[in-house]
Amino acid sequence: MFAVRSAFRAGARAAVPFRTFATSSSRAANTLLFLEHKNGAINPASLSALTAAQKLGGEIHGLVTGRASEAKKVAEEAAKVGGLTKVLVSSSDAFAYPLSEPIAPLIQSLVSKNSYSHVVAGHTAVGRDVMPRASVLLDSSQISDIISVEGEDTFVRPIYAGNALATVKTSDKVVVFTVRGTAFDAAKAEGGSASVEEVEAGEAPQPTKFVEEQVSESSRPDLATAARVVSGGRALKSAEGFEKYIEPLADKLKAAVGASRAAVDAGYADNALQVGQTGKIVAPELYMAIGISGAIQHLAGMKDSKTIVAINKDPEAPIFQVADLGLVADLYEAVPELTEKL
Amino acid sequence: MRASLVNQLRVLVPVKRTIDYAVKIRVASDGKGVDTNVQHSMNPFDEIAVEEAVRLRERNKEAVKRITVVSAGPTKSQDVLRTALAMGADDAIHVDVPNAIEPLAVSKILRAIVEKESGEDEIGMVILGKQAIDDDASQTGQMLAGLLNWPQATFASKVELEGKGDKGDKVKVTREVDGGLAIVETQVPLVVTTDLRLNEPRYASLPNIMKAKKKKMTKYSIADLGLEKDVEPRLETLKVSEPPQRQGGAKVENVDELIAKLKEAGRI
């Protein structure tokens, strides 16, 4: 039964294995990939975006921005990533935090200098913030959150909270798109030998000042990339409910903790844990939805998971329509029993 | 300097009429779009944007002079403009666009509005939803900020205006980013996009709905704004299809069976 369900994901991943596309233009793709990083590590979503960019064929240059010390270190890491031919590194204090106002004009100037045909980034909070600003400076109509590359100018993306898939073809000279990380495997962080080239930051406008970041601390795996996710909904009734029922099960499974919007809004779980159209999009091997009814907006964020398990006492809950394994039971009894027996 | 005047800031709030969030959409039989013959309402993120503009004035009466809502779309878009007026906006602009347009085109229309409305009643802040729930693009606010060369504060969960809304006045915004929150400080004029947790939009009361009918609605065509070329689509939708359906519904009787099935599938 699982084979059928994973067919879509496998298809989305492997649909276009590095073929060259017949296009009207003779120009080969020449792609600029914005590499997001934090604490010295390249964001996995950028590595998935690289895999998507490889399907275009042609050369791919990575762009690393940041403060001098960190940018250099990340650029060295990036040079080792398989698939990049060159790493451009631009360092300036203006890039200490990834803000759109200085980064978008930098991307614009690199495109005009190096004639990139494509500009790509992960569809993360940073990618969503920076790329449309770069896109408008290039007078290009961005294609957001693609899940498949069908050609140099043709992409598939979900619309209406993932309830429909649109295949769109662009006529723009410079194609700007962002990539859904869970739809592509991350490129290998090793095996590459790209050259590193410094580029001037230019004037780097800085109308916005970064003040501080409030990071949700967690020792668990990162929600967006975890192999297993245990999510709780409104039925947990309190933050203590999350602590008592969801977290021990997640720890047992070495899983990340997720939450429905209802649980987040009620204050049971942190905002950063929200899974859905307006939160994180996840596609783990195993997704356990506990006390989650399964609203359209939640399903948008997890329905590409390989195996979905639902525990809910309402047999009519819509979550059971997508769950591979459903257990109609009171979570207050079933979850501790499950945690115990694992 | 306009410092001697009170009520400085004019806020522009773009709103979009979308298929209601609760509707289960269906792909149209021609495979080129979705069936739009269903309940529509204001994009939920835009409701939050309208609410924030109204609250900004309630919190800081000195600062906000006027709240103008704008929508680009077919005539029916006037419905969502009326809703926004009933929530507390002062006047509305309807840009008549018969067909669906891309965020790039919308951002150019909004820039034209900001420029057209410059002068005495200059727009100093544009508050938009972070994304429309139909195309899920999440681009328009960022594109508008890029066109105007204004700072942008996206995915805001808190907006604090420090000052009276004069040019250069500080605005502190808490943004929802991956892994937590980022607090940034920027300045008027600026573009803000709203995240879900910014506020809880109010319901329009019946008296306010009645009052909204009397509020001013200005209508422009694309030609009025000189943007005929700018709204031409860059993207062609080749097809719209149903996502692969999951065949859920398999139930297990108890926890033991659940564990056994998960083991069998190699998931644990």
Side-chain angles (χ1 to χ4, degrees), chain A residues 155-215:
Chain A
F155 304 88
V156 180
R157 61 177 303 265
I159 52 175
Y160 292 94
N163 287 299
L165 300 178
T167 305
V168 294
K169 184 178 173 180
T170 176
S171 56
D172 280 325
K173 236 169 74 188
V174 181
V175 181
V176 180
F177 65 96
T178 59
V179 176
R180 177 171 292 198
T182 57
F184 297 88
D185 288 322
K188 292 224 174 350
E190 281 158 33
S193 56
S195 60
V196 176
E197 185 183 301
E198 298 218 13
V199 290
E200 283 293 320
E203 246 178 71
Q206 260 184 293
T208 299
K209 204 172 86 196
F210 169 72
V211 180
E212 63 168 317
E213 197 165 30
Q214 294 169 356
V215 182

Coordinates of all heavy atoms in Angstrom, one line a residue, chain A residues 155-215:
Chain A
F155 N 7.5 24.9 -15.4 CA 7.6 24.4 -14.1 C 6.2 24.0 -13.5 O 5.2 24.6 -14.0 CB 8.2 25.5 -13.1 CG 9.5 26.0 -13.6 CD1 9.6 27.1 -14.5 CD2 10.7 25.4 -13.2 CE1 10.8 27.5 -15.0 CE2 11.9 25.9 -13.6 CZ 12.0 27.0 -14.5
V156 N 6.2 23.2 -12.5 CA 4.9 22.8 -11.9 C 4.9 23.3 -10.5 O 6.0 23.2 -9.8 CB 4.7 21.3 -11.8 CG1 3.4 20.9 -11.2 CG2 4.8 20.7 -13.3
R157 N 3.8 24.0 -10.1 CA 3.7 24.5 -8.7 C 2.3 24.3 -8.2 O 1.4 24.3 -8.9 CB 4.1 26.0 -8.7 CG 3.3 26.9 -9.5 CD 3.7 28.3 -9.3 NE 3.7 28.7 -7.9 CZ 2.6 29.3 -7.4 NH1 1.6 29.7 -8.1 NH2 2.6 29.6 -6.1
P158 N 2.3 24.1 -6.8 CA 0.9 23.9 -6.2 C 0.2 25.3 -6.1 O 0.9 26.3 -5.8 CB 1.2 23.3 -4.9 CG 2.7 23.4 -4.6 CD 3.4 23.9 -5.9
I159 N -1.1 25.3 -6.3 CA -1.9 26.5 -6.0 C -3.0 26.0 -5.1 O -3.3 24.8 -4.9 CB -2.4 27.1 -7.3 CG1 -3.1 26.1 -8.2 CG2 -1.2 27.8 -8.1 CD1 -3.7 26.7 -9.5
Y160 N -3.8 27.0 -4.6 CA -4.9 26.7 -3.7 C -4.5 25.7 -2.6 O -5.1 24.6 -2.5 CB -6.1 26.2 -4.5 CG -6.7 27.2 -5.4 CD1 -6.3 27.3 -6.7 CD2 -7.7 28.1 -4.9 CE1 -6.9 28.3 -7.6 CE2 -8.2 29.1 -5.8 CZ -7.8 29.2 -7.1 OH -8.3 30.2 -7.9
A161 N -3.5 26.0 -1.9 CA -3.1 25.2 -0.7 C -2.8 23.8 -1.2 O -3.1 22.8 -0.4 CB -4.1 25.2 0.4
G162 N -2.3 23.6 -2.4 CA -1.9 22.3 -2.8 C -3.0 21.5 -3.3 O -2.9 20.3 -3.7
N163 N -4.2 22.1 -3.5 CA -5.3 21.3 -4.0 C -5.4 21.3 -5.5 O -6.3 20.7 -6.1 CB -6.6 21.9 -3.4 CG -6.8 21.5 -2.0 OD1 -6.8 20.3 -1.6 ND2 -6.8 22.5 -1.1
A164 N -4.5 22.0 -6.2 CA -4.3 21.9 -7.6 C -2.9 22.1 -8.0 O -2.1 22.8 -7.2 CB -5.2 22.9 -8.3
L165 N -2.4 21.5 -9.1 CA -1.1 21.7 -9.5 C -1.1 22.5 -10.9 O -1.8 22.0 -11.8 CB -0.4 20.4 -9.7 CG -0.3 19.5 -8.5 CD1 0.4 18.2 -8.8 CD2 0.5 20.2 -7.4
A166 N -0.4 23.6 -10.9 CA -0.4 24.4 -12.2 C 0.9 24.2 -12.9 O 2.0 24.2 -12.3 CB -0.6 25.8 -11.9
T167 N 0.9 23.9 -14.2 CA 2.1 23.8 -15.0 C 2.1 25.2 -15.7 O 1.2 25.5 -16.5 CB 2.0 22.7 -16.0 OG1 1.7 21.5 -15.3 CG2 3.3 22.6 -16.8
V168 N 3.2 25.9 -15.4 CA 3.3 27.3 -16.0 C 4.6 27.4 -16.9 O 5.6 26.8 -16.6 CB 3.3 28.4 -15.0 CG1 1.9 28.5 -14.3 CG2 4.4 28.2 -14.0
K169 N 4.4 28.2 -18.0 CA 5.5 28.4 -18.9 C 5.8 29.9 -18.9 O 4.9 30.7 -19.1 CB 5.1 27.9 -20.3 CG 6.2 28.0 -21.3 CD 5.7 27.4 -22.6 CE 6.8 27.7 -23.6 NZ 6.7 27.3 -24.9
T170 N 7.0 30.3 -18.7 CA 7.3 31.7 -18.6 C 7.9 32.2 -19.9 O 8.6 31.4 -20.7 CB 8.3 32.0 -17.5 OG1 8.7 33.4 -17.5 CG2 9.6 31.2 -17.6
S171 N 7.7 33.4 -20.2 CA 8.3 34.1 -21.4 C 9.3 35.1 -21.0 O 9.8 35.8 -21.8 CB 7.2 34.8 -22.2 OG 6.5 35.7 -21.4
D172 N 9.7 35.1 -19.7 CA 10.6 36.1 -19.2 C 12.1 35.7 -19.7 O 12.4 34.6 -19.8 CB 10.6 36.1 -17.7 CG 9.5 37.0 -17.2 OD1 9.2 38.0 -17.8 OD2 8.9 36.6 -16.1
K173 N 12.9 36.8 -19.9 CA 14.2 36.6 -20.3 C 15.1 36.0 -19.2 O 15.9 35.1 -19.4 CB 14.8 37.9 -20.7 CG 15.4 37.9 -22.2 CD 15.7 39.2 -22.7 CE 17.0 39.8 -22.0 NZ 17.2 41.2 -22.4
V174 N 14.9 36.5 -18.0 CA 15.5 36.0 -16.8 C 14.4 35.3 -16.0 O 13.4 35.9 -15.6 CB 16.2 37.0 -15.9 CG1 16.9 36.4 -14.7 CG2 17.1 37.9 -16.8
V175 N 14.6 34.0 -15.8 CA 13.6 33.2 -15.1 C 13.9 33.1 -13.6 O 15.0 32.6 -13.2 CB 13.5 31.8 -15.7 CG1 12.4 30.9 -15.0 CG2 13.2 31.8 -17.2
V176 N 13.1 33.6 -12.7 CA 13.3 33.6 -11.3 C 12.3 32.6 -10.7 O 11.1 32.7 -10.9 CB 13.1 35.0 -10.7 CG1 13.4 35.0 -9.2 CG2 14.0 36.0 -11.4
F177 N 12.9 31.7 -9.9 CA 11.9 30.7 -9.2 C 12.5 30.3 -7.9 O 13.7 30.3 -7.6 CB 11.5 29.6 -10.1 CG 12.7 28.6 -10.5 CD1 12.9 27.4 -9.8 CD2 13.5 28.8 -11.6 CE1 13.9 26.5 -10.1 CE2 14.5 27.9 -12.0 CZ 14.7 26.8 -11.2
T178 N 11.5 29.9 -7.0 CA 11.9 29.4 -5.7 C 11.4 27.9 -5.7 O 10.5 27.6 -6.4 CB 11.3 30.2 -4.5 OG1 9.8 30.2 -4.7 CG2 11.8 31.6 -4.5
V179 N 12.1 27.1 -4.9 CA 11.9 25.7 -4.9 C 11.4 25.1 -3.6 O 11.9 25.5 -2.5 CB 13.3 25.0 -5.2 CG1 13.2 23.5 -5.2 CG2 13.8 25.5 -6.6
R180 N 10.4 24.3 -3.7 CA 9.9 23.6 -2.5 C 10.9 22.5 -2.1 O 11.2 21.6 -2.9 CB 8.6 23.0 -2.7 CG 8.1 22.2 -1.5 CD 6.6 21.7 -1.7 NE 5.7 22.8 -1.7 CZ 4.4 22.7 -1.4 NH1 3.9 21.5 -1.2 NH2 3.6 23.8 -1.4
G181 N 11.5 22.7 -0.9 CA 12.6 21.9 -0.5 C 12.3 20.4 -0.5 O 13.1 19.5 -0.9
T182 N 11.1 20.1 -0.1 CA 10.7 18.7 0.1 C 10.4 18.0 -1.2 O 10.3 16.8 -1.2 CB 9.4 18.6 1.0 OG1 8.4 19.3 0.4 CG2 9.7 19.1 2.4
A183 N 10.4 18.7 -2.3 CA 10.1 18.1 -3.6 C 11.4 17.6 -4.3 O 11.3 16.9 -5.3 CB 9.3 19.0 -4.5
F184 N 12.5 18.0 -3.8 CA 13.8 17.6 -4.4 C 14.8 17.1 -3.4 O 14.8 17.7 -2.3 CB 14.4 18.8 -5.2 CG 13.6 19.3 -6.3 CD1 12.6 20.3 -6.1 CD2 13.7 18.8 -7.6 CE1 11.8 20.8 -7.1 CE2 12.9 19.3 -8.6 CZ 12.0 20.3 -8.4
D185 N 15.5 16.1 -3.7 CA 16.6 15.6 -2.8 C 17.6 16.7 -2.7 O 17.9 17.4 -3.6 CB 17.3 14.4 -3.3 CG 16.3 13.2 -3.2 OD1 15.6 13.1 -2.2 OD2 16.3 12.3 -4.1
A186 N 18.3 16.8 -1.5 CA 19.3 17.8 -1.3 C 20.6 17.3 -2.1 O 20.9 16.2 -2.1 CB 19.7 17.9 0.2
A187 N 21.2 18.3 -2.8 CA 22.5 18.0 -3.4 C 23.5 17.6 -2.4 O 23.5 18.0 -1.3 CB 22.9 19.2 -4.2
K188 N 24.5 16.7 -2.8 CA 25.5 16.3 -1.8 C 26.4 17.4 -1.5 O 26.8 18.2 -2.3 CB 26.3 15.1 -2.5 CG 25.5 13.9 -2.7 CD 26.2 12.7 -2.2 CE 25.4 11.4 -2.2 NZ 24.0 11.5 -2.5
A189 N 26.7 17.5 -0.2 CA 27.5 18.6 0.3 C 29.0 18.3 0.0 O 29.9 19.1 0.5 CB 27.3 18.8 1.8
E190 N 29.3 17.2 -0.7 CA 30.7 16.9 -0.9 C 30.9 16.5 -2.4 O 30.0 16.2 -3.1 CB 31.1 15.7 0.0 CG 31.4 16.0 1.4 CD 31.3 14.9 2.3 OE1 31.6 13.7 1.8 OE2 30.9 15.1 3.4
G191 N 32.2 16.4 -2.8 CA 32.5 15.9 -4.1 C 32.7 17.0 -5.1 O 33.1 16.8 -6.2
G192 N 32.3 18.3 -4.8 CA 32.5 19.3 -5.8 C 33.8 20.0 -5.6 O 34.6 19.8 -4.7
S193 N 34.2 20.8 -6.6 CA 35.4 21.6 -6.5 C 35.2 22.9 -7.3 O 35.9 23.1 -8.3 CB 36.6 20.8 -7.1 OG 36.3 20.4 -8.4
A194 N 34.3 23.7 -6.8 CA 34.0 24.9 -7.5 C 35.1 26.0 -7.2 O 35.7 25.9 -6.1 CB 32.6 25.5 -7.1
S195 N 35.3 26.9 -8.1 CA 36.2 28.0 -7.8 C 35.4 29.0 -6.9 O 34.2 29.1 -7.0 CB 36.7 28.6 -9.1 OG 35.6 29.1 -9.8
V196 N 36.2 29.8 -6.2 CA 35.5 30.8 -5.3 C 36.0 32.2 -5.8 O 37.2 32.4 -6.1 CB 35.9 30.7 -3.8 CG1 35.3 31.8 -3.0 CG2 35.5 29.3 -3.3
E197 N 35.0 33.1 -6.0 CA 35.3 34.4 -6.6 C 34.6 35.4 -5.7 O 33.5 35.3 -5.4 CB 34.8 34.4 -8.0 CG 35.1 35.7 -8.8 CD 34.5 35.7 -10.1 OE1 34.8 34.8 -10.9 OE2 33.7 36.6 -10.4
E198 N 35.4 36.4 -5.4 CA 34.8 37.5 -4.5 C 34.1 38.5 -5.5 O 34.7 38.9 -6.5 CB 35.9 38.2 -3.7 CG 36.6 37.3 -2.8 CD 36.9 37.9 -1.4 OE1 36.4 39.0 -1.2 OE2 37.7 37.3 -0.7
V199 N 33.0 39.0 -5.0 CA 32.3 40.1 -5.8 C 32.1 41.2 -4.9 O 31.8 41.1 -3.7 CB 31.0 39.6 -6.5 CG1 31.3 38.6 -7.6 CG2 30.1 39.0 -5.5
E200 N 32.2 42.4 -5.4 CA 32.0 43.6 -4.6 C 30.6 43.7 -4.2 O 29.6 43.4 -4.9 CB 32.3 44.9 -5.5 CG 33.8 45.1 -5.7 CD 34.5 45.5 -4.4 OE1 33.8 46.3 -3.6 OE2 35.6 45.1 -4.1
A201 N 30.4 44.2 -2.9 CA 29.0 44.3 -2.4 C 28.3 45.5 -3.0 O 27.1 45.7 -2.9 CB 29.0 44.4 -0.9
G202 N 29.1 46.5 -3.6 CA 28.5 47.7 -4.1 C 28.0 48.6 -3.0 O 28.6 48.5 -1.9
E203 N 27.0 49.3 -3.3 CA 26.5 50.3 -2.3 C 25.7 49.6 -1.2 O 25.5 50.2 -0.1 CB 25.8 51.4 -3.0 CG 26.5 52.7 -2.8 CD 25.8 53.8 -3.6 OE1 24.7 54.2 -3.0 OE2 26.3 54.2 -4.6
A204 N 25.0 48.5 -1.4 CA 24.3 47.8 -0.4 C 23.4 48.6 0.4 O 23.7 48.9 1.6 CB 25.2 46.9 0.4
P205 N 22.2 49.0 -0.1 CA 21.3 49.8 0.7 C 20.9 49.1 2.0 O 20.6 47.9 2.0 CB 20.1 50.0 -0.3 CG 20.3 49.1 -1.4 CD 21.7 48.7 -1.4
Q206 N 20.8 49.9 3.0 CA 20.5 49.3 4.3 C 19.4 50.1 5.1 O 19.6 50.6 6.2 CB 21.7 49.3 5.2 CG 22.5 48.0 5.2 CD 23.6 48.2 6.2 OE1 24.6 48.9 5.9 NE2 23.6 47.5 7.3
P207 N 18.2 50.2 4.5 CA 17.2 51.0 5.2 C 16.6 50.2 6.4 O 15.9 50.8 7.3 CB 16.1 51.2 4.2 CG 16.2 50.0 3.2 CD 17.7 49.7 3.3
T208 N 16.9 48.9 6.5 CA 16.4 48.1 7.6 C 17.5 47.6 8.4 O 18.5 47.1 7.9 CB 15.5 46.9 7.0 OG1 14.4 47.5 6.3 CG2 15.0 46.1 8.1
K209 N 17.3 47.7 9.7 CA 18.4 47.2 10.6 C 17.9 46.0 11.4 O 16.8 46.0 11.9 CB 18.6 48.3 11.6 CG 20.0 48.3 12.3 CD 20.3 49.5 13.1 CE 19.7 49.3 14.5 NZ 19.5 50.5 15.3
F210 N 18.7 44.9 11.4 CA 18.4 43.8 12.1 C 18.6 44.0 13.6 O 19.7 44.5 14.0 CB 19.2 42.6 11.7 CG 19.1 41.4 12.5 CD1 18.0 40.6 12.5 CD2 20.2 41.0 13.4 CE1 17.9 39.5 13.3 CE2 20.1 39.9 14.2 CZ 18.9 39.1 14.2
V211 N 17.6 43.8 14.4 CA 17.8 44.0 15.9 C 18.1 42.8 16.6 O 19.1 42.7 17.3 CB 16.5 44.7 16.5 CG1 16.6 44.9 18.0 CG2 16.1 45.9 15.7
E212 N 17.2 41.8 16.6 CA 17.6 40.5 17.2 C 16.7 39.4 16.7 O 15.7 39.6 16.1 CB 17.4 40.6 18.7 CG 15.9 40.9 19.1 CD 15.7 40.8 20.6 OE1 16.2 39.8 21.2 OE2 15.0 41.6 21.2
E213 N 17.1 38.2 17.0 CA 16.4 37.0 16.6 C 16.0 36.3 17.8 O 16.8 36.2 18.8 CB 17.3 36.2 15.7 CG 16.5 35.2 14.9 CD 17.3 34.6 13.7 OE1 18.5 34.5 13.8 OE2 16.6 34.2 12.7
Q214 N 14.8 35.8 17.9 CA 14.3 35.0 19.0 C 14.1 33.6 18.4 O 13.1 33.3 17.8 CB 13.1 35.5 19.6 CG 13.3 36.9 20.3 CD 12.0 37.6 20.7 OE1 10.9 37.1 20.4 NE2 12.2 38.7 21.3
V215 N 15.1 32.7 18.7 CA 15.1 31.4 18.1 C 14.4 30.4 19.0 O 14.6 30.5 20.2 CB 16.6 30.9 17.8 CG1 16.6 29.6 17.2 CG2 17.3 31.9 17.0

